[in-house]
Amino acid sequence: VIPAANKNHRRAVRRYPSGMESEAMMFFGEFRIQPADPLLSIMGRFAADPRSRKMDLGVGVYRDDSGRTPVLAAVKDAERRLLQEQQSKSYLGSEGDPVFVKLMADRVFGAGASAEDGRLAGLQTPGGTGALLVAAELLAMNGAGRKVWLGTPTWPNHVPILAAAGLEIVTYELYEVATRRFRPDRLFEAIERAQPGDVIVLHGCCHNPTGADLDLDGWRHIADRMAERGLIPLIDLAYQGLGMGWDEDAAGTRLMLAGLPGALVAYSCDKNFGLYRDRVGALFVQGPSVAETQALWSTAVAIARRSWSMPPDHGAAVVRLILEDPALTLSWQTELSEMRARIARVRAGLAAYGKVAGIDLSGLAHEHGMFAMLPIGADAVERLREEAGIYMASSGRINLAGLQVDALPAFVAGLRAATEMALA
Ligand code: LMR
């Protein structure tokens, strides 16, 4: 209970002395309420919908056959162990837990990668977003006029993060949503047009939001051309293991690291360990020499220090425990394979419908990961929500992991009705 005197104190509004008022009020008075994040606000609207047959195809989290986002068994075991064995919650450094970073580097890039030649280094970050933020700030240093080439559509947070660092962004259409057609040729063209020192942003696998990934020949081609043209890759690898397989999903990134002197990789463990809200990620940097890698890494650590000082530990400690213990590793890999297989079943099931309301869904079988773009307008998205309780991003992105195989007929019927109504 707040004592009455204090209450009054809180209510008393003090004024700035006249003359100073307008300057101070310029600060306080010029903020505007920001629109709710279109993707994240779907979660709240979905939760508030009383219908029992609703479907959440919005934010990118995995869901099982019963629509739940489970805590993985290996995570639960590691958490139990952590609760019993952790002796201290004292600070780690700004680089996070070096054991987590090393174990992840060897998993992601292949056994021994962390020790190979000293040109690869990493730091733990709050999610892949933290890694992207540090990467963006690094890229904004040492090189005025550096452009960042970004294929569209892309994850809606890419542009704000890169732009906030002061980078100039050039976009090109990597995927034609209207025809659901992947255009790697446009990426190849962007690489030819870019100037030495420019940055090419790439999705390592399971492209968000299109699901359309380069094949290995495509990766080989861009690794060669980018090396020849003096370009820097920024690879966002957030869904490893949810596409074709653990090694398959990192194959392109590994080719890039082998084929180019330098690279930045923003990594997320949020999806493949199901640790979303614990925010587990890492930024890996590779430089042309050991000395350059070390300088790049220490600058990244300094950026982390002034951004969040030190990353949260819990999720990364869980990942470390899983990767240190062969039984937990096996349990995690088994569950990850099941997730991947379920997503593939949903993809195949939906692809089998072929054309629905003029939309060719057959390509879903050849795209990867949780996401796909449907060429439907915001009005049809709204109708799907109102009429059928199906929630998705207004851009037309669906999270396939939100679909249950036995709900596919209802989804297709809802899609047909909503798009036909929108056309009528
Ligand atoms: C998504 O794209 O749905 C996820 O990456 C969640 C997010 O932060 O946007």
Side-chain angles (χ1 to χ4, degrees), residues 39-40 58-60 155 208 239 271 371 397:
L39 195 54
L40 303 187
V59 76
W155 184 46
N208 180 4
Y239 294 89
K271 335 273 174 174
F371 304 119
R397 186 190 85 170

Side-chain angles (χ1 to χ4, degrees), residues 190-203:
I191 288 170
E192 301 309 322
R193 280 164 56 209
Q195 297 299 308
D198 280 1
V199 179
I200 307 287
V201 177
L202 300 158
H203 295 231

Side-chain angles (χ1 to χ4, degrees), residues 203-219:
H203 295 231
C205 66
C206 306
H207 188 282
N208 180 4
T210 68
D213 295 329
L214 284 176
D215 60 18
L216 278 184
D217 284 342
W219 281 107

